Amino acid sequence: QAIDLSEEAAVARELALVRVIVKPEARQALLQEAEIFRARVVDSSPTAFMLEATGASEKLDALVNLLHNYGEVEMIRSGAMAMARAPQDNPEGGFVESPSTDKEKVNA
């Protein structure tokens, strides 16, 4: 079930898989820049890297824009996913479900 979290404290992330065709002389530079964005290499060939990156949509946009400087870019993105943050305090003790659900509190 989809829940609108736009008015709640939430953590939002997006996943991108990006393949970049890169010349041999630019491979090391691409890896260094990908590391700045905490992107991981998930596949490699003599002519390309496939990177996995997660984060805010703006971060992924910046990464993809940068990668275009290295060569042809092919990409797939998940779209934003979010989960409500857990309550910061629970004076009654026990476990509290996300504020976005209709479930009752369960005491430990």
Side-chain angles (χ1 to χ4, degrees), residues 6-72:
S6 60
E7 300 297 320
E8 294 188 42
V11 175
R13 295 287 183 269
E14 186 173 349
L15 167 70
L17 292 174
V18 186
R19 182 180 4 253
V20 184
I21 307 299
V22 60
K23 294 179 181 176
E25 62 271 14
R27 290 171 71 86
Q28 190 59 40
L30 182 146
L31 292 175
Q32 289 174 342
E33 296 211 77
E35 189 175 317
I36 293 168
F37 288 86
R38 295 193 175 113
R40 294 183 332 121
V41 175
V42 294
D43 190 39
S44 177
S45 76
T47 60
F49 284 120
M50 184 183 300
L51 304 172
E52 171 190 84
T54 60
S57 296
E58 296 80 11
K59 172 187 162 184
L60 298 182
D61 291 341
L63 172 62
V64 170
N65 287 336
L66 178 73
L67 293 176
H68 279 288
N69 295 319
Y70 289 94
E72 183 181 334

